[in-house]
Structure formats: C-alpha cells, structure tokens
C-alpha cells in the first residue's frame, strides 16, 4: 500500500548567536546551517526510511528544487510536489549558547495548495492506503473528506495545534496523533478526553514517559514506555515517531508493535542534531542498542 502525505516542505535556516538580539540590535551569527525541514517533509522521510511507499503532496517555490531532490534521495515519491511562484516555506531559527531558540516561520508555498492538485494526486491512491495530514498546509479538511470518500485511512498529526483545524478534520479521521499538551488543548476545546473522541485510534505521545494508545473500538488503553537516552535535539522526533507508526501499520504490524518500533526511532532521533536529514532508517532502528 502507500502513505499519501499532504505535508509542508520548509527550508530550515539555523543561525547560532552569542545571545538573542534585543529590539533594534544588529547581531552577527557565529555559524549558519541550512537543511530540509517542515513537519510534512519530516514525516515523509520517516515513513520512507521506515520502508513505506511515501508519496508527498505539497509545493515549493522557484528556489526549492533542492528540497525535492533531497526528498527523492531519501526515498520519497515526489511526483505530486508542485513548483509554483510563491516562495518555498522556510524557518529562520536563532539559537543561543544555552540552546534557547526563536523561530520565524514563513508558510509560503505550503499554504497555497489547490483542491485540484490534491484531487489529482489522490486519484492515484487505492482504497486502504493511508492519507496523512498535519497543520502546516492549507486544504486539510477538504483532503480528509476526499480521502474518506476514496476509502483511505485518514491519519492526522494535530501540530502545530489549532483547535478549529482539528475539529474540522475530526469527522473524517481514523487515526489521530497528539502530544500531551495538544491532547489537553483539544479536550479544552471539545470537552472530550482522547478516549471519548469518535476516532478509531488515538495516539498521545508523552515525551520521556512514552506514548499511549486509545482504541476507539474496544476501549482498550495501551502504554508504550520510552527508551532512556540523553537527548541533544528533539527537533523532528515527534514527526519521526508518526512516520514510523504509519509505515509499520502499512506493513500490517499491530498498533503496539508499530508504536514500539516508532519509539525506538524517536529515541535514536533525539540523539542527533537536525531534522529530515538525520532521520534514521529501519535498519539503524532495528540494530540500535539502548
């Protein structure tokens, strides 16, 4: 089967600074790194590196061709990424010596996707494929409704959190990913705890405490413990977890095994600096010693 990811593509520009700039201050960076990022791109790379056929649906601007080349290099099917006139989404990330950061995010091409583009991409999908959506693009609810009508399994990673966006997609959702803070925010917005949502599978990540699965059919709750590692950078860890869970489910693994494998991938990810470019592949995850 395939995972169709309606997802963002960002250029991450990371500047190391001696301190965060004050209003009106001009400050020279001590180093600069540029890499592939965006929650969507991270999830596509994670799913592909976990062995799935990951098809990315998205857009870049005139300067973003290298992002598509990088995704292709990592095993992602990039045929449904459009090049348009709007600039590629990007993040300007300032980091101080203590690891604190400030981020300016420009959504760019990620927010001007068209219904025609999504419909054309999903016309190649098969019933039973997975459609993955998150909140750094437009057209989430329209895509989810389209996916439901086509018999796809609709998965939604509710980040960055937006209560209205999540509630618009809820009627079409089969699988929901939240972190602990997002779960609390959604409960405040809807009045419903994760286990009370009308969703087949809800997965809540709990950081160092692991992750929890709420089975909407049986009512069962399953906890998957986190592995003990010393994190150096948590960027992309949640996206890696999501991509790995979906890839494992696509291969037919039960949810508990899928989450356990994804937990290993997430644990390995936080020991590395970077985002999409350092997501581990399945062999690394299977061979890692914790």
């Amino acid at each position: 089967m395939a995972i169709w990811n309606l997802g963002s593509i960002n250029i991450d520009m990371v500047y190391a600074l001696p301190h965060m700039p004050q209003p009106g201050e001009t400050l020279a960076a001590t180093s600069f790194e540029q890499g592939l990022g965006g929650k969507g791109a991270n999830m596509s790379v994670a799913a592909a590196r976990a062995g799935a056929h990951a098809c990315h649906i998205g857009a870049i601007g005139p300067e973003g061709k290298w992002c598509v080349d990088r995704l292709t290099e990592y095993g992602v099917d990039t045929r449904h990424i459009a090049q348009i006139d709007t600039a590629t989404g990007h993040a300007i990330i300032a980091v101080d010596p203590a690891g604190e950061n400030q981020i300016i995010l420009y959504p760019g091409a990620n927010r001007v996707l068209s219904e025609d583009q999504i419909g054309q991409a999903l016309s190649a999908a098969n019933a039973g494929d997975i459609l993955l959506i998150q909140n750094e693009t437009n057209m989430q609810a329209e895509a989810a409704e389209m996916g439901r009508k086509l018999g796809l399994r609709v998965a939604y990673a509710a980040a960055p959190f937006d209560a209205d966006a999540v509630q618009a997609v809820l009627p079409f959702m089969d699988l929901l990913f939240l972190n602990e803070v997002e779960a609390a925010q959604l409960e405040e917005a809807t009045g419903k705890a994760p286990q009370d949502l009308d969703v087949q599978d809800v997965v809540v990540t709990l950081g160092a405490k692991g992750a929890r699965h709420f089975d909407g059919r049986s009512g069962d709750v399953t906890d998957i413990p986190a592995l003990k590692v010393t994190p150096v950078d948590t960027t992309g860890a949640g996206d890696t977890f999501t991509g790995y869970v979906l890839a494992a489910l696509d291969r037919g693994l039960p949810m508990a095994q899928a989450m356990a494998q994804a937990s290993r991938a997430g644990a390995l990810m936080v020991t590395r600096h970077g985002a999409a470019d350092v997501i581990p592949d399945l062999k690394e995850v299977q061979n890692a010693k914790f």
Side-chain angles (χ1 to χ4, degrees):
M1 308 299 286
I3 297 171
W4 300 82
N5 181 15
L6 173 64
S8 57
I9 300 169
N10 285 342
I11 298 171
D12 285 349
M13 294 176 281
V14 184
Y15 299 84
L17 301 178
H19 59 264
M20 289 302 171
Q22 300 300 311
E25 179 182 13
T26 299
L27 190 60
T30 57
S31 70
F32 167 72
E33 293 181 1
Q34 179 171 284
L36 175 64
K39 298 190 72 61
N42 294 342
M43 291 178 196
S44 283
V45 172
R49 289 196 150 185
H53 180 198
C55 306
H56 195 98
I57 307 169
I60 56 163
E63 81 291 35
K65 184 179 181 301
W66 69 266
C67 298
V68 178
D69 293 341
R70 192 77 58 85
L71 285 166
T72 303
E73 180 185 333
Y74 295 148
V76 177
D77 184 337
T78 59
R79 288 175 293 174
H80 300 287
I81 297 174
Q83 181 171 322
I84 60 176
D85 291 335
T86 304
T88 304
H90 58 262
I92 298 171
I93 305 165
V95 184
D96 73 9
E100 293 296 325
N101 64 52
Q102 291 180 353
I103 301 173
I104 299 171
L105 180 65
Y106 174 68
N110 296 316
R111 290 283 186 183
V112 290
L113 303 177
S114 70
E115 190 164 355
D116 284 348
Q117 180 193 353
I118 295 165
Q120 186 175 2
L122 293 183
S123 68
N126 296 306
D129 283 356
I130 294 170
L131 171 62
L132 172 60
I133 303 166
Q134 38 75 47
N135 278 345
E136 289 185 341
T137 73
N138 62 325
M139 301 298 297
Q140 294 103 332
E142 294 88 344
E145 184 174 8
M146 202 181 299
R148 172 59 62 88
K149 288 177 179 176
L150 291 169
L152 308 184
R153 186 176 184 183
V154 180
Y156 186 74
F161 187 80
D162 180 317
D164 291 337
V166 178
Q167 290 179 88
V169 176
L170 268 175
F172 314 108
M173 197 185 302
D174 300 297
L175 174 56
L176 173 63
F177 291 90
L178 300 158
N179 65 27
E180 203 168 8
V181 173
E182 292 157 357
Q185 291 173 319
L186 185 59
E187 184 170 355
E188 183 179 343
T190 64
K192 293 183 178 182
Q195 61 269 32
D196 299 322
L197 296 168
D198 187 22
V199 179
Q200 288 183 10
D201 295 286
V202 179
V203 175
V204 180
T205 56
L206 306 170
K209 294 178 285 185
R212 180 169 295 155
H213 172 232
F214 299 93
D215 189 322
R217 292 148 297 197
S218 67
D220 292 344
V221 179
T222 304
D223 285 334
I224 302 296
L227 295 157
K228 292 184 178 179
V229 295
T230 302
V232 298
D233 185 357
T234 60
T235 306
D239 302 333
T240 299
F241 179 89
T242 299
Y244 261 81
V245 167
L246 294 177
L249 293 175
D250 185 58
R251 293 200 306 276
L253 269 64
M255 180 63 79
Q257 281 182 247
M259 288 174 63
Q261 188 170 88
S263 181
R264 292 177 64 85
L268 197 54
M269 183 65 178
V270 300
T271 66
R272 304 172 172 186
H273 287 284
D277 296 311
V278 296
I279 292 173
D281 64 26
L282 185 58
K283 187 176 181 180
E284 289 179 280
V285 171
Q286 291 172 334
N287 292 340
K289 306 295 183 186
F290 294 102

